[in-house]
Amino acid sequence: MLLILTHENADFDAVASQVAAHKLYPEGVPLLSRRVNRNVKQFLALYWDTLPFMRMEEWRRRQIDQVVLVDTQSVPGVRGLREETPVRVIDHHTPDGIPAEWEQHIEELGATTTLLVEMLQSGGKNVRPVEATLLLLGIHEDTGSLTYGTTTARDAHAAAWLLEQGADLSVVRRFLEIPLSDQQQALYEQLQENTEWLQVEGQAIALATAVAAPDFDDEISAIAHRMRDGVNPAGLLLLVQLRQHVQLVARSTTDNVNVAIIARALGGGGHGRAAAATIMDLTLEEAAARVKELLPRAVQPAAKVAQMMSRGVQTLPADATVQEAARQMQRFGHEGYPIVDPDTQRLVGLLTRRAVDRAIRHDLARLHVSQIMKSGRVMVRPSDSIERVQQLMIEEDWGQIPVSATSDDEEGPDQLIGIVTRTDLLRLLTKAVLEESQSNLCSLLSQSLPPVVWRMVQMVSEVADEAGMPIYFVGGLVRDLLLELPSADVDMVVEGDAIALAHRLSERFGGRVRSHERFGTAKWLLDEAAWRAVAPEQPLHDAPETIDFVTARTEFYDRPSALPEVESGSIKLDLHRRDFTINTLAIRLDGAHLGELLDFYGGLRDLEQGVIRVLHSLSFIDDATRILRAVRLEQRLDFKIEARTAELISDALPMLERVSGERIRHEIELILREPDPVPIMARLDDIGVMEALHPALEWTEEMAQTFYRLQGILQEPPWHEALQEESPASVYFALWMGPLAAGVRRSMMKLLKVRKSTREEVEGVVSVVQALQSLPPDAAPSRVEKQLRPYEPHPRILLAARAALDDGPARRLLEQYQREWRRVRTALDGNDLREIGLKPGPQYGELLDRLLAARLDGKVQNETQERELLEDLLESGEFKMVDGLEGR
C-alpha cells in the first residue's frame, strides 16, 4: 500500500498537496493529519464527500510499501510504518537532513501545491472544480495570495491553470479570511500587549508571549499569520503557555532569519520561513530567555553599506557653475554629485540632475551649484545597515547617499570613499544580489583554473588584501567560467592602483613589471623563478608568461561611435561601461571576499536564460561595433539576442558609417577566428549589417559552402600544412571577398583598410580561380604548373582557391598540382648548364623551364633523357655558348 502523508497542524498547502498527489498516485491513500488548521477543518466539513481523504482514526495497521511525503520532510507516526519503508519527498522547502536513500523532488517555490500542479499538467491530468479550488487555496495561503517574497512566477502560472480548471475564487476568499475565534482574539490581544522588539544583526525581531486560557483548544498559526501581516517583522516568535507545555510558533519574512534553527533547537522542526516546537521542560519565561539565546544563530547579519556601495565617488565644488555640472553629468551619465566646500573639502550638499535640468531650462546655467543643490551633510559609513540608508533616503529625500570613512565629529576634510544610490538599495531589497550560498565561487575557480593559476590567484588575493585593494576577475572570463567553457584570459581589475599592486607582487615573488601610467595598467612578467616562488609544488606547463592588472575605470563618449575617454572609477562603473549584461559579472578575489560573485546588472539571469542583452539604450550609438560583438557572442554561445536589443541594433545600423575601418576590420577578424564563422556571417547579413557596410556587400550560400569546404580541406594532407598553425581568418576573408564584383571587393578592402599583403592575397585567389577555370579539363601539367608557380610561395592563396572551387575539372587540376606537380624537379640545374659552356643569363631559366615542362608532361623520365633534350634544344640555335662560340 502507498500512503500519502503530510505534517501535523496541516494547512491548505499540506492537504491540497495530498489531494494533488492522490491524482498522481490514485492507488495511494491520503491520510489526513490528526490536527488540521481551523479554516482547513471548515472546508473539509463542507466538501468531505468529494475528497479522497481517510481519517487517522479510520486507519488500520497494514503493510505500507511506500510513502509519499508532501509539504514536509519528516514522517509522522503511523501504525505499520517501518524505518526501511521507501519514502518519496515532494516539498518546496530547502532540503534539511533528508536520508540519502529517500527519493526527493524539492524545488524552492511559494507552495508545494505549485510543484504538484506542474506534475499534473505535464502528466496531462485534469482536476475537478472542487479539487482546483482546494489546490488554489493551498497556493494562495502559502504565498499570501501571491504577495510573499517567496512567490515565484511558477506559482502564478499554477494558480492561473487552476482557475482554468474551474477553481472558485469566492470560496478561496471566504476560507482565507475566516475571522479569529473569541479564544484566538483574546490570545491575539494578549500577544500584542506582550510583544518585545529585538534588534539582531540589523534585523527587527518580534518576540511575543502569552498564557492561553485553560480551555484554549484552537490553533495558534492563524494568530501568527495575523500578527505577521500586521507588524511585518523580519522574524516573529510566539510563545504561548498552554496547559502542559509552551508552544512556539515562528514565522519569518526574510531569508536572513531562519526560524527553523530555533525550533529544532527546542525539539521542533519546520523550515526557514515557518516552524514550530512543543516545549515540555521550560516555563514561559525560561522559553523566552532560551529563544533570545538562540536568536544570533538564526539571524544572518543584515547587509551593510560596504556590500552595496559603489567605491570611488566624484564630487563637485560648491562654486562650480550649473553649466559645468551639466557637462560632467552628460559626460559620465551620473544622476547626481555630492557637493563639497572648495576650501575645507567637507560635504555641504547634493546636486541632482533634475535640479540642473530645471536651472538650464530657466537660463540659470551661470549660477553656482550651491544655489540649487540640496544642502546638508547626509552621509553613511561602510558599517551602517541598509535600514539606515533607507531611512536617510526617506527622511532627507536624497537619492544618493555619500559613504564616508570619517565620522561626523572628526575635523578636516570628509573622506568620501563611495556612494549608495536608490538603484543599489532596490537591487539589494529585491534580491538582485545573490545569496551567499549561490554567490561564492571558490570551488568553481579551484576546479576550473589550472592548479598553478589557482595558486597564483590565492597569492594575489593575500597581497591585494594586505594592500586594501579589492581585485576582481571580470567579464568574459567570469562568463566562461560559469558556462564551463575554457578561458585562457586571467587579467584582473583593481579598485585602486593596479600598478602599485603589480609592483608589490613583483617585490614579493619576483618577475618584472611593465606599466602604463596613462592607462593605469601593469603587466607582471613571470619567469620560472617567479612562478616557483608563487606555486612551488605545481607543474608549470599551464602557467601564463604574464598577468595583466587594470585599474577599474569608467568611460564616456564625446560623440557617437568615437573611441571612449576613460578615467579611474569603481568596479561598478567599470562593469557599467561593458557591452552586454553577461559580460558585467565579476568575481572578487581579495582576502575573505575570494570567490564572491558581483552581479549588478542581471548578467547571471541572462546567462541562465541564454540571452544577449545590451546594458542601456544608447550603447550601440556610443559604439556601433558592439553590433558585431553581439552577433558573435550570440552564435558562439548559442544564445539569442533579446527583442529590445535587436530593435536597438536595427536602429543603430546607420552608425556603422561613422566607425573607422580599422575597428570594423578588427571585429570581422575576431569573427573569422571563431571555430565556425558561418552562422555569424549569415546572421550579420540577416540583420542588415552587410548592407550597412556597403549596399552591394552580401553573404551567400555559396560563400558559406566555401567556408565549410575549407574546414574539411584543412584536415587533409597536404593542405593542413598550408597555414603552419596560423588562424584561417585571412583565408576566410579571401573566400568572402573573392566572389564579390571587383568594384565592391576593392571598395570594401579600402573601407576596412586591409593590409597590402591581404589585398594581394585576395586578388591572388581571384586570379588563380579564374586561371584554373579557363584551362581545358585535360590541360597539360606543365601548363598548370606555369600558371600556379607564382603562387607557390603563398600557400594560403592556393588553399583559398581550393576551397573556392567546387567539384570540377579546375579543382582536380589544383589538387594534382598541390599533391604532385609542384614537387616535380629537373635532374639538371644551372651548374650543369654552366659546365657544358652555356652562357649565363635569362636563357638558363627558359632552358630549365623547357626541361621541367618535359618532365611534367612525361616526355622525359630521367637525367639521360634530360641531357638528350638539352642537346636538341642547344642544337636548335636558340641559345648561346660561352668563349665566343656561336650558338648551335
Side-chain angles (χ1 to χ4, degrees), residues 528-643:
E528 183 175 350
W531 271 113
R532 281 294 169 220
V534 172
E537 299 179 359
Q538 301 293 347
L540 301 183
H541 55 269
D542 289 319
E545 296 180 358
T546 63
I547 306 293
D548 286 345
F549 297 91
V550 182
T551 300
R553 59 190 190 267
T554 184
E555 65 184 23
F556 54 89
Y557 294 82
D558 274 343
R559 62 185 187 280
S561 296
L563 289 172
E565 297 185 36
V566 297
E567 292 188 5
S568 61
S570 66
I571 185 63
K572 185 176 179 183
L573 291 174
D574 191 278
L575 296 172
H576 185 262
R577 70 186 178 84
R578 295 171 188 271
D579 43 19
F580 311 110
T581 57
I582 61 172
N583 289 335
T584 63
L585 296 165
I587 300 175
R588 190 166 173 178
L589 304 175
D590 52 296
H593 300 285
L594 178 60
E596 289 180 4
L597 179 66
L598 277 68
D599 182 13
F600 295 111
Y601 305 107
L604 187 61
R605 173 203 61 205
D606 288 344
L607 204 63
E608 291 171 345
Q609 296 178 357
V611 298
I612 306 295
R613 187 190 311 273
V614 79
L615 257 69
H616 56 86
S617 58
L618 294 180
S619 182
F620 296 118
I621 302 298
D622 287 340
D623 183 0
T625 63
R626 288 172 175 163
I627 297 173
L628 284 79
R629 288 203 293 281
V631 174
R632 175 162 56 89
L633 274 177
E634 176 194 48
Q635 297 302 311
R636 181 210 293 173
L637 301 176
D638 195 23
F639 279 21
K640 185 69 177 176
I641 295 174
E642 60 93 25

Side-chain angles (χ1 to χ4, degrees), residues 498-518:
I499 296 174
L501 179 61
H503 280 292
R504 273 178 175 257
L505 291 163
S506 176
E507 290 167 7
R508 180 168 301 187
F509 301 108
R512 296 179 296 109
V513 173
R514 288 207 305 259
S515 61
H516 295 279
E517 293 285 347
R518 177 185 173 190

Side-chain angles (χ1 to χ4, degrees), residues 481-786:
L481 278 171
L482 292 170
L483 291 174
E484 299 182 1
L485 297 174
S487 179
D489 183 11
V490 288
D491 299 349
M492 301 182 190
V493 172
V494 182
E495 273 188 316
D497 190 338
I499 296 174
L501 179 61
H503 280 292
R504 273 178 175 257
L505 291 163
S506 176
E507 290 167 7
R508 180 168 301 187
F509 301 108
R512 296 179 296 109
V513 173
R514 288 207 305 259
S515 61
H516 295 279
E517 293 285 347
R518 177 185 173 190
F519 301 108
T521 61
K523 187 181 293 291
W524 184 22
L525 295 87
L526 294 93
D527 54 19
E528 183 175 350
W531 271 113
R532 281 294 169 220
V534 172
E537 299 179 359
Q538 301 293 347
L540 301 183
H541 55 269
D542 289 319
E545 296 180 358
T546 63
I547 306 293
D548 286 345
F549 297 91
V550 182
T551 300
R553 59 190 190 267
T554 184
E555 65 184 23
F556 54 89
Y557 294 82
D558 274 343
R559 62 185 187 280
S561 296
L563 289 172
E565 297 185 36
V566 297
E567 292 188 5
S568 61
S570 66
I571 185 63
K572 185 176 179 183
L573 291 174
D574 191 278
L575 296 172
H576 185 262
R577 70 186 178 84
R578 295 171 188 271
D579 43 19
F580 311 110
T581 57
I582 61 172
N583 289 335
T584 63
L585 296 165
I587 300 175
R588 190 166 173 178
L589 304 175
D590 52 296
H593 300 285
L594 178 60
E596 289 180 4
L597 179 66
L598 277 68
D599 182 13
F600 295 111
Y601 305 107
L604 187 61
R605 173 203 61 205
D606 288 344
L607 204 63
E608 291 171 345
Q609 296 178 357
V611 298
I612 306 295
R613 187 190 311 273
V614 79
L615 257 69
H616 56 86
S617 58
L618 294 180
S619 182
F620 296 118
I621 302 298
D622 287 340
D623 183 0
T625 63
R626 288 172 175 163
I627 297 173
L628 284 79
R629 288 203 293 281
V631 174
R632 175 162 56 89
L633 274 177
E634 176 194 48
Q635 297 302 311
R636 181 210 293 173
L637 301 176
D638 195 23
F639 279 21
K640 185 69 177 176
I641 295 174
E642 60 93 25
R644 177 56 179 156
T645 300
E647 291 177 1
L648 295 172
I649 286 176
S650 179
D651 293 342
L653 286 174
M655 302 304 298
L656 286 169
E657 293 182 359
R658 302 191 183 188
V659 181
S660 70
E662 292 94 333
R663 293 179 63 204
I664 294 176
R665 186 190 73 233
H666 175 69
E667 293 298 330
I668 290 174
E669 287 172 349
L670 291 176
I671 289 169
L672 297 179
R673 288 193 183 103
E674 290 287 322
D676 186 5
V678 170
I680 308 175
M681 300 294 283
R683 183 85 160 114
L684 290 175
D685 189 48
D686 182 56
I687 65 175
V689 170
M690 300 284 190
E691 187 177 359
L693 293 176
H694 191 290
L697 182 63
E698 61 180 348
W699 175 257
T700 65
E701 180 60 30
E702 289 74 17
M703 292 173 180
Q705 290 304 315
T706 65
F707 275 43
Y708 285 132
R709 271 202 295 272
L710 175 64
Q711 294 169 12
I713 292 167
L714 287 173
Q715 309 305 314
E716 304 172 1
W719 296 105
H720 67 270
E721 301 171 357
L723 291 179
Q724 298 179 344
E725 306 300 326
E726 294 181 10
S727 164
S730 63
V731 182
Y732 283 133
F733 185 76
L735 291 173
W736 179 33
M737 291 288 108
L740 300 174
V744 177
R745 179 171 66 247
R746 289 165 189 152
S747 177
M748 275 303 303
M749 289 195 287
K750 181 178 180 181
L751 168 68
L752 299 178
K753 292 183 168 43
V754 300
R755 293 172 286 275
K756 180 182 178 182
S757 59
T758 302
R759 292 198 305 271
E760 290 173 350
E761 281 188 10
V762 171
E763 296 300 341
V765 173
V766 174
S767 297
V768 168
V769 170
Q770 290 175 348
L772 287 169
Q773 289 177 333
S774 67
L775 293 173
D778 57 351
S782 59
R783 187 175 176 186
V784 176
E785 191 275 339
K786 188 171 184 178

Side-chain angles (χ1 to χ4, degrees), residues 325-588:
R327 193 176 301 117
Q328 285 292 95
M329 288 179 172
Q330 182 178 14
R331 202 177 200 196
F332 293 101
H334 295 337
E335 293 298 316
Y337 279 91
I339 305 301
V340 297
D341 184 290
D343 298 321
T344 66
Q345 292 300 301
R346 288 175 70 81
L347 182 70
V348 294
L350 178 75
L351 181 69
T352 66
R353 180 184 286 274
R354 182 180 179 187
V356 169
D357 290 344
R358 291 182 64 186
I360 289 177
R361 280 200 304 271
H362 293 292
D363 296 325
L364 302 175
R366 295 183 180 180
L367 289 181
H368 288 162
V369 294
S370 59
Q371 296 173 267
I372 65 169
M373 71 182 183
K374 293 180 178 181
S375 298
R377 282 177 49 76
V378 181
M379 295 181 292
V380 291
R381 310 292 173 267
S383 58
D384 285 343
S385 67
I386 62 169
E387 286 78 11
R388 171 68 174 155
V389 176
Q390 194 171 7
Q391 179 186 5
L392 286 174
M393 285 184 174
I394 294 170
E395 292 177 355
E396 304 293 341
D397 193 28
W398 281 35
Q400 301 178 349
I401 309 292
V403 183
S404 175
T406 55
S407 59
D408 289 333
D409 55 0
E410 288 188 40
E411 299 292 335
D414 291 320
Q415 295 181 29
L416 301 183
I417 59 173
I419 200 158
V420 177
T421 67
R422 283 197 179 103
T423 303
D424 296 326
L425 185 61
L426 286 171
R427 280 201 181 94
L428 195 67
L429 293 176
T430 57
K431 300 181 181 178
V433 178
L434 298 177
E435 296 299 326
E436 182 69 21
S437 60
Q438 296 174 300
S439 64
N440 195 286
L441 301 177
C442 271
S443 177
L444 178 63
L445 287 171
S446 66
Q447 294 170 13
S448 303
L449 297 175
V452 65
V453 176
W454 171 234
R455 184 59 182 161
M456 180 272 297
V457 169
Q458 293 173 300
M459 294 297 98
V460 171
S461 171
E462 292 182 12
V463 176
D465 188 47
E466 293 169 4
M469 294 187 195
I471 186 167
Y472 307 86
F473 280 149
V474 299
L477 170 61
V478 181
R479 178 198 70 218
D480 291 344
L481 278 171
L482 292 170
L483 291 174
E484 299 182 1
L485 297 174
S487 179
D489 183 11
V490 288
D491 299 349
M492 301 182 190
V493 172
V494 182
E495 273 188 316
D497 190 338
I499 296 174
L501 179 61
H503 280 292
R504 273 178 175 257
L505 291 163
S506 176
E507 290 167 7
R508 180 168 301 187
F509 301 108
R512 296 179 296 109
V513 173
R514 288 207 305 259
S515 61
H516 295 279
E517 293 285 347
R518 177 185 173 190
F519 301 108
T521 61
K523 187 181 293 291
W524 184 22
L525 295 87
L526 294 93
D527 54 19
E528 183 175 350
W531 271 113
R532 281 294 169 220
V534 172
E537 299 179 359
Q538 301 293 347
L540 301 183
H541 55 269
D542 289 319
E545 296 180 358
T546 63
I547 306 293
D548 286 345
F549 297 91
V550 182
T551 300
R553 59 190 190 267
T554 184
E555 65 184 23
F556 54 89
Y557 294 82
D558 274 343
R559 62 185 187 280
S561 296
L563 289 172
E565 297 185 36
V566 297
E567 292 188 5
S568 61
S570 66
I571 185 63
K572 185 176 179 183
L573 291 174
D574 191 278
L575 296 172
H576 185 262
R577 70 186 178 84
R578 295 171 188 271
D579 43 19
F580 311 110
T581 57
I582 61 172
N583 289 335
T584 63
L585 296 165
I587 300 175
R588 190 166 173 178

